[in-house]
Amino acid sequence: MGSREKKLTLKLLINKESGRVVFAECGKDFVEILLSFLTLPLGTVIRLLDKHSSLGCMDALYENVEKLDLKCLQTEACKSMLLCPRSVAERHCKDLKIKVDNLDPKRLYLCLKWDCVARVHKLFSSVADARCPCGSPMDKFALLWKKEASCDGGFCEGERARFLVSDDLHVSLASMASSFSLLQEFGIHDVSLLQEREVSVGRHEILKLLKTCLISRTPLSNVFMGLKLQPFKHKKLVPNPLGKKEEAKTGTKTRSKTMRANILQSKHSGKVKYAEIGEDIVDLLFSFLTFPLGTIVKLLSQDSSLGCMS
C-alpha cells in the first residue's frame, strides 16, 4: 500500500469581482517550496514538466540531448549530468514538505584506486560513471554526507511563522500592514468584495504552479481560480547587463572571448536556417540545461521574461 501524499493548506483571499487571488496566507512550508524553484536547474524543470515547460526552445534542446548518440559525448555520465542535473542546494531542499524534484537523494561515487580516493585527487562525483582524472569510471557508491547544523534543510527561520504571498509571488511576513498594502495595490477599499477560501495543495498543484509561474504574472489565480492565462509580453533584452555592472564596479574593461559559427541565412526572411559550429558552442548550449532558474534571473536582471520568477 503506497504512502499517503502529503498536502498543504493555503488560505486564499479572493476579489469576488475579478475572481483573482489578492494574496495567500500560508506557513513556512509553502514559502520554502516557492523559494526552492530558484534552485532548480533548467534540465530538471524541463524533466519535471515532461518537456512542456514553455521555455522557448529549451524543451527541444533537452529532447535533442536525449536522442544524442553517446559517441558524441565524452562519457555516458555527461548525458546524465544534462538530463538530470543535480542542484547544489539539494541538501537544503531534502526536508521540504512536498518535494518538487523526485530524484533519489544525492549519492556520491568514487574511484577505488588508493591514490585517487586518498592521496592525490581526493575527488567524488554525484553522477555515476563520471571519469576520474586517472581515466577510470567513478562508479563505487560512498555514503559521505555528514550532518551539519547549517544544512539541516530549508531556507526560512521560524516554524510557526505566517507569510503572505501575493498573486505574482511576492513574499512578506504576515502582518496588518502588509495586508493593507496588498489591498491598496489591488485598489480594494470595500472588504465586502473579499472572500476567503481554503485550498489543498499537493505535488500536482506544485508542478502546475512551477509551470505557470514561468509564463504568467498571476500564477496563484491561474492555478487555484482557473483564471485564463494572458499572453506574456516579453521585454527587450539589454545586452550583457551583468557585465556592465561588474565593469562599473571594478573600473576595468573585461575582454570577452568569441566563438565562430558559419550561418546559412535566408535572404528573403532574414531567418537563420542552420549554423555550422564547433564543439565549444555546442558545449555552451548544452550547459544551459545545468543553469538554476535563480542564476538565469540574476544574469538577465529584470529582463529574464520568466513570468514572475524575477
Side-chain angles (χ1 to χ4, degrees):
M1 189 173 179
S3 59
R4 191 174 181 180
E5 182 188 5
K6 293 181 179 179
K7 296 273 190 176
L8 297 175
T9 299
L10 297 185
K11 184 184 292 184
L12 304 180
L13 191 67
I14 301 160
N15 184 336
K16 290 188 289 186
E17 283 192 339
S18 65
R20 282 188 55 182
V21 174
V22 180
F23 60 77
E25 183 183 341
C26 60
K28 170 184 173 183
D29 292 328
F30 182 70
V31 171
E32 291 194 327
I33 291 170
L34 292 181
L35 296 178
S36 76
F37 288 172
L38 295 171
T39 73
L40 296 174
L42 270 185
T44 296
V45 173
I46 294 167
R47 172 175 56 82
L48 291 173
L49 300 180
D50 197 24
K51 291 173 286 191
H52 290 90
S53 69
S54 302
L55 290 170
C57 56
M58 293 304 298
D59 292 331
L61 180 65
Y62 185 94
E63 188 172 7
N64 183 254
V65 174
E66 280 186 317
K67 297 177 179 178
L68 196 64
D69 194 316
L70 288 176
K71 294 178 182 177
C72 300
L73 299 169
Q74 289 191 24
T75 67
E76 187 174 348
C78 291
K79 181 173 277 194
S80 297
M81 295 175 191
L82 296 172
L83 298 180
C84 298
R86 311 298 301 223
S87 167
V88 295
E90 190 171 288
R91 294 178 69 193
H92 283 277
C93 300
K94 65 183 177 65
D95 293 326
L96 292 178
K97 190 70 174 288
I98 299 173
K99 291 193 68 173
V100 184
D101 192 0
N102 54 3
L103 277 183
D104 291 332
K106 184 181 285 185
R107 294 185 169 192
L108 296 182
Y109 299 87
L110 51 82
C111 168
L112 280 186
K113 292 182 180 178
W114 177 251
D115 277 353
C116 296
V117 71
R119 293 177 55 192
V120 183
H121 306 304
K122 299 180 182 177
L123 295 179
F124 301 89
S125 171
S126 60
V127 180
D129 297 317
R131 187 179 297 165
C132 178
C134 75
S136 300
M138 302 172 77
D139 57 359
K140 300 299 183 283
F141 169 64
L143 184 62
L144 291 172
W145 286 138
K146 294 180 179 178
K147 188 167 184 178
E148 299 173 6
S150 60
C151 290
D152 282 343
F155 302 98
C156 303
E157 289 285 354
E159 288 297 328
R160 297 184 180 180
R162 301 297 294 173
F163 297 87
L164 298 182
V165 180
S166 66
D167 202 8
D168 58 354
L169 303 189
H170 278 84
V171 180
S172 59
L173 281 171
S175 68
M176 191 70 73
S178 55
S179 300
F180 278 126
S181 176
L182 286 170
L183 292 177
Q184 287 178 347
E185 187 177 326
F186 274 77
I188 297 173
H189 304 288
D190 184 358
V191 292
S192 66
L193 297 176
L194 302 176
Q195 174 188 4
E196 283 191 0
R197 181 185 301 179
E198 284 195 353
V199 293
S200 183
V201 181
R203 191 165 186 275
H204 173 75
E205 289 77 19
I206 292 298
L207 290 180
K208 194 173 180 181
L209 190 59
L210 170 62
K211 180 176 181 177
T212 308
C213 73
L214 295 171
I215 56 177
S216 172
R217 296 288 190 186
T218 57
L220 294 182
S221 294
N222 300 133
V223 173
F224 299 114
M225 300 301 298
L227 185 70
K228 187 177 179 181
L229 281 168
Q230 299 296 320
F232 181 69
K233 294 181 180 180
H234 295 281
K235 296 179 182 179
K236 186 177 180 181
L237 292 179
V238 179
N240 195 20
L242 191 64
K244 287 184 178 180
K245 290 178 183 177
E246 292 300 318
E247 185 177 315
K249 286 180 183 179
T250 59
T252 59
K253 292 185 177 181
T254 55
R255 189 174 181 179
S256 60
K257 295 180 180 179
T258 58
M259 294 178 281
R260 293 186 176 275
N262 295 322
I263 292 175
L264 183 66
Q265 186 178 22
S266 168
K267 290 183 178 179
H268 176 68
S269 65
K271 293 182 178 179
V272 173
K273 296 298 183 181
Y274 69 83
E276 183 182 337
I277 56 179
E279 65 178 47
D280 51 355
I281 299 182
V282 176
D283 280 344
L284 177 64
L285 292 176
F286 285 171
S287 76
F288 291 165
L289 294 172
T290 70
F291 283 23
L293 287 174
T295 297
I296 295 169
V297 172
K298 179 182 178 183
L299 290 174
L300 298 180
S301 188
Q302 295 301 311
D303 300 313
S304 66
S305 298
L306 290 176
C308 57
M309 291 303 296
S310 296

